[in-house]
Amino acid sequence: MWVFNRSKGRSGFSYSSTAEEVTDEIDGSGLTAIVTGASSGIGAETSRVLALRGVHVIMAVRNIAAGKDVKEAIVKEIPAAKVDIMELDLSSSASVRKFAADFMSSGHSLNMLINNAGVVGIPFMLSKDNIELQFATNHLGHFLLTNLLLDKMKETTRKTEREGRIINVSSVAYCMFTYREGIRFGKINDPKSYCSFWAYGQSKLANILHAYELTRRLKEGGVEITANSLHPGTITTNMFRHLGFFDGLVSKFGKFIFKNVQQGASTTCYVALHPQLKGISGEYFCDNNLGTTTAIARDMDLAKRLWDFSMELVKE
């Protein structure tokens, strides 16, 4: 079973590798990264390890107080760390637009955008923009954020002659728990047919398709920016808090079966920083190695349709 596959892959890393191990001796000085959902879990660990490697980290968080606690812990451990906090609620297009505008006016460069934040298994509810909340937070907010920041990343890439990287943190749930048709374009907001697990899988499929279509567009434009997606592994974090009995099982037995946070953040840090991945785009990674996807995640027509659908939803 994939959960227990701990052998090293072609990258030299494995399921058990930590974020520090996969970035060992990599110098990220001079790079700037935005990490969404950086106030807890693998987002916090990703921020810590990137800062450890010299990257200037912008923690994009909904909970400012929690973000400050994480920043303080990072700076206490790494006095030279460059870490800033900015407020971002991915379920609100107004918040996403404000974040992007504030970042653009800050004068910061942008080398890496790590679309990490997410919610899982929540009861049916609508976002502030009246979009089903898992789809809105996990996909649509990141889709809009990426589009709004893309020019800044292009500018940074041209000026520094260093490859930009966009990373979508997806999940293997895209193929294990999702609707038969993949993306339910006509039923995104249908409460009657809503299933919390399937809606989560749908949003994670959208993350992969987004990176896939974005890659096609970037290559057409001759832009030196890559876009990849990944499965971080099943991790004992607070993401399962809405799942009742399952959350209890994860809390009690997860440490014996699943990844810890240090391992869970490793694939994100690997895809963000490792030189092995220079020029690699439109791919899906798992356990710090190139992964494989099902046919629906490589469906070019579905990816294009999702792009157009998403553009309609975020337009002002």
Side-chain angles (χ1 to χ4, degrees), residues 78-93:
I78 313 161
K82 297 178 181 178
V83 182
D84 289 310
I85 300 172
M86 293 179 65
E87 186 173 7
L88 173 64
D89 179 355
L90 285 157
S91 70
S92 164
S93 62

Side-chain angles (χ1 to χ4, degrees), residues 146-199:
T146 302
N147 280 2
L148 293 173
L149 295 176
L150 198 53
D151 283 344
K152 171 55 70 174
M153 186 173 279
K154 289 178 180 178
E155 176 188 301
T156 301
T157 299
R158 287 194 299 269
K159 286 183 177 180
T160 63
E161 296 184 347
R162 300 180 76 166
E163 177 182 87
R165 295 187 180 184
I166 298 167
I167 298 99
N168 285 353
V169 178
S170 181
S171 169
V172 73
Y174 88 87
C175 63
M176 297 176 67
F177 306 105
T178 195
Y179 300 110
R180 182 179 56 80
E181 61 270 46
I183 307 295
R184 308 185 88 191
F185 294 104
K187 294 184 178 180
I188 290 292
N189 289 347
D190 181 14
K192 293 182 180 179
S193 60
Y194 178 80
C195 170
S196 60
F197 278 112
W198 269 249

Side-chain angles (χ1 to χ4, degrees), residues 30-34 56 58 86 96-97 99-113 144-166 214 218 223-226:
L31 301 177
T32 300
I34 292 174
H56 179 191
I58 310 297
M86 293 179 65
V96 175
R97 292 182 188 280
F99 175 92
D102 290 345
F103 181 82
M104 295 289 278
S105 64
S106 70
H108 295 313
S109 58
L110 182 59
N111 304 92
M112 291 170 276
L113 174 59
L144 176 59
L145 181 67
T146 302
N147 280 2
L148 293 173
L149 295 176
L150 198 53
D151 283 344
K152 171 55 70 174
M153 186 173 279
K154 289 178 180 178
E155 176 188 301
T156 301
T157 299
R158 287 194 299 269
K159 286 183 177 180
T160 63
E161 296 184 347
R162 300 180 76 166
E163 177 182 87
R165 295 187 180 184
I166 298 167
L214 180 57
L218 291 170
V223 181
E224 195 179 353
I225 296 173
T226 63

Side-chain angles (χ1 to χ4, degrees), residues 133-290:
L133 194 58
Q134 291 193 86
F135 190 80
T137 303
N138 299 352
H139 164 64
L140 205 59
H142 285 128
F143 175 85
L144 176 59
L145 181 67
T146 302
N147 280 2
L148 293 173
L149 295 176
L150 198 53
D151 283 344
K152 171 55 70 174
M153 186 173 279
K154 289 178 180 178
E155 176 188 301
T156 301
T157 299
R158 287 194 299 269
K159 286 183 177 180
T160 63
E161 296 184 347
R162 300 180 76 166
E163 177 182 87
R165 295 187 180 184
I166 298 167
I167 298 99
N168 285 353
V169 178
S170 181
S171 169
V172 73
Y174 88 87
C175 63
M176 297 176 67
F177 306 105
T178 195
Y179 300 110
R180 182 179 56 80
E181 61 270 46
I183 307 295
R184 308 185 88 191
F185 294 104
K187 294 184 178 180
I188 290 292
N189 289 347
D190 181 14
K192 293 182 180 179
S193 60
Y194 178 80
C195 170
S196 60
F197 278 112
W198 269 249
Y200 176 69
Q202 172 180 247
S203 71
K204 296 290 98 179
L205 173 61
N207 292 152
I208 300 173
L209 292 171
H210 173 214
Y212 190 55
E213 174 64 9
L214 180 57
T215 290
R216 185 186 68 80
R217 292 169 180 262
L218 291 170
K219 286 183 176 179
E220 280 187 354
V223 181
E224 195 179 353
I225 296 173
T226 63
N228 291 294
S229 59
L230 63 92
H231 170 53
T234 306
I235 306 149
T236 50
T237 71
N238 65 359
M239 280 195 73
F240 296 106
R241 62 189 180 275
H242 297 289
L243 301 181
F245 178 69
F246 185 67
D247 181 38
L249 289 177
V250 170
S251 299
K252 190 171 183 178
F253 300 109
K255 64 182 179 181
F256 302 110
I257 304 173
F258 302 142
K259 291 185 179 183
N260 58 36
V261 171
Q262 293 75 27
Q263 295 166 331
S266 64
T267 305
T268 302
C269 291
Y270 171 69
V271 177
L273 271 185
H274 209 285
Q276 287 180 358
L277 272 65
K278 181 174 175 56
I280 304 298
S281 192
E283 299 292 352
Y284 172 81
F285 291 84
C286 180
D287 297 339
N288 304 295
N289 283 276
L290 189 63

